[in-house]
Amino acid sequence: MMLSRSFCLVGLLASAALPAFAATEGPAYGPELQGFEYPYPVEHFSFQSQGKSLQMGYMDVPAKGKANGRSIVLMHGKNFCGATWEASIKSLSDAGYRVIAPDQIGFCTSSKPDHYQYSFQQLAINTHQLLEKLGIQKVTLLGHSTGGMLATRYALLYPTQTEQLALVNPIGLEDWKALGVPYRSVDQWYERELKLTADGIRTYERNTYYAGNWKPEFDRWVDMLAGLNKGPGHTQVAWNSALIYDMIFTQPVFYEFKDLQMPTLLLIGTSDTTAIGSDIAPPAVKAKIGHYAVLGKQIAGLIPHATLVEFPGLGHAPQMEEPAQFHKALLQGLNAL
């Protein structure tokens, strides 16, 4: 169950700061996204962490096509949830994978504790405990946005259990603080997160994620995030979101890409401009961060066994922007690794 507190996160794991706008349109959801419909049944894994009783929501979808004996774990971005993997879950299940799509602690259908020391190591350990409970010993990891940072950390912590790694427009391809992006305190993040609205989220995502483009089907995901942020648990949601943003900014994985030894697939929408803190960065700093057309190639050169697949003109979430094109490339890439 959720713990209560009257005061202040997001995208596990995605992305840069969302702007604030004053508006109240759209639905409101409970602190664990009660009222929002997931594409598959949500189960909950109960466990102890940092002296707290927590629950991690997850979907466990069996292979619908001829089972290939492989399990794939999907790690969502910060401004996303397990539900936003809907098209990917179907595609992978149809291709024979068992698909596990958890909501990380602090996100979506999972607990949002009052006090929690967020780290990518802790989230990876939580996920590993879930997989142990499900009896899964070897996995392919598919991480998007902030989930790409988490998938990288998981692969580094559990290299013998990670058969393949696939990263979709992961953030953390550069160390923003080392490049001169100013530090924003947890309290500052919290005040910002309290002001999130559907209008602000939509504007940010259109400009940053989708290169100025928008499709009506994206509105469902805007309502999901905005509804969670303005529901009865909005202060808990905002506080956890602030803590997670601090984790993303202060815990880079950039320096360890060279240590990944498993086959790695990089799937990059080249029009993405996501970079944490770009909204408060000096103009000279802002001009040199968030260039995925460059970053994808650079990181592919750092990872020993990397295959780079680029999607020219697509943005931060190619799996949502052009699902058919993306999933064809994903399945071909996984089969070739």
Side-chain angles (χ1 to χ4, degrees):
M1 296 296 294
M2 297 271 310
L3 302 174
S4 60
R5 183 181 186 177
S6 297
F7 62 70
C8 166
L9 155 140
V10 216
L12 202 172
L13 203 173
S15 316
L18 298 175
F21 287 77
T24 58
E25 78 282 11
Y29 299 115
E32 293 178 354
L33 208 50
Q34 293 92 336
F36 183 84
E37 184 177 357
Y38 266 50
Y40 299 91
V42 176
E43 303 177 61
H44 283 88
F45 169 52
S46 298
F47 66 105
Q48 295 288 318
S49 177
Q50 300 183 19
K52 299 183 182 299
S53 297
L54 302 176
Q55 288 192 337
M56 182 186 296
Y58 67 96
M59 293 174 285
D60 183 356
V61 182
K64 289 191 70 176
K66 182 180 179 181
N68 62 14
R70 298 168 71 181
S71 298
I72 186 165
V73 179
L74 312 187
M75 295 180 168
H76 61 80
K78 172 142 193 341
N79 300 318
F80 300 81
C81 293
T84 54
W85 285 114
E86 181 174 3
S88 298
I89 294 172
K90 182 181 186 306
S91 179
L92 289 161
S93 175
D94 288 347
Y97 287 87
R98 178 182 180 182
V99 186
I100 313 300
D103 285 332
Q104 297 297 325
I105 295 301
F107 294 87
C108 311
T109 64
S110 295
S111 299
K112 297 167 186 69
D114 280 357
H115 302 280
Y116 203 62
Q117 181 61 53
Y118 278 101
S119 70
F120 287 113
Q121 286 90 337
Q122 180 66 72
L123 296 181
I125 290 168
N126 296 348
T127 304
H128 188 253
Q129 289 179 328
L130 168 64
L131 296 180
E132 284 187 320
K133 181 247 186 185
L134 296 176
I136 299 174
Q137 297 180 344
K138 299 263 188 188
V139 295
T140 293
L141 300 176
L142 177 60
H144 170 235
S145 191
T146 299
M149 295 183 78
L150 174 58
T152 300
R153 178 60 58 206
Y154 186 104
L156 290 165
L157 280 177
Y158 304 105
T160 61
Q161 290 156 295
T162 305
E163 294 183 305
Q164 298 173 314
L165 177 63
L167 306 174
V168 186
N169 282 73
I171 61 169
L173 300 184
E174 53 194 345
D175 182 352
W176 307 290
K177 58 181 171 48
L179 293 171
V181 175
Y183 178 73
R184 189 185 252 132
S185 72
V186 171
D187 289 331
Q188 289 171 323
W189 277 119
Y190 174 56
E191 291 302 322
R192 186 177 184 84
E193 292 300 283
L194 285 175
K195 300 172 184 177
L196 290 185
T197 67
D199 282 348
I201 293 167
R202 187 178 295 107
T203 298
Y204 166 76
E205 292 188 354
R206 179 191 295 115
N207 294 340
T208 304
Y209 289 178
Y210 304 116
N213 302 312
W214 194 256
K215 294 183 177 182
E217 53 263 38
F218 299 161
D219 284 321
R220 179 176 178 228
W221 311 122
V222 170
D223 288 342
M224 174 192 72
L225 184 58
L228 180 65
N229 277 273
K230 75 175 184 180
H234 71 282
T235 53
Q236 290 168 284
V237 171
W239 179 248
N240 276 261
S241 184
L243 295 175
I244 291 172
Y245 268 128
D246 190 73
M247 172 187 73
I248 295 168
F249 189 79
T250 62
Q251 298 179 28
V253 297
F254 170 76
Y255 304 102
E256 295 163 278
F257 284 122
K258 63 180 175 53
D259 299 323
L260 292 168
Q261 294 302 314
M262 63 288 300
T264 301
L265 184 64
L266 280 171
L267 300 139
I268 303 294
T270 61
S271 293
D272 190 6
T273 60
T274 303
I276 294 289
S278 61
D279 58 317
I280 58 172
V285 173
K286 183 174 182 177
K288 66 181 181 181
I289 60 177
H291 299 295
Y292 274 75
V294 175
L295 292 170
K297 294 180 178 68
Q298 290 179 344
I299 299 305
L302 295 177
I303 299 174
H305 309 289
T307 300
L308 174 63
V309 178
E310 294 184 315
F311 301 97
L314 297 188
H316 188 61
Q319 77 277 20
M320 298 161 66
E321 196 172 359
E322 293 292 343
Q325 179 186 354
F326 173 83
H327 292 116
K328 180 179 179 180
L330 171 65
L331 292 170
Q332 288 177 344
L334 292 178
N335 289 334
L337 288 183

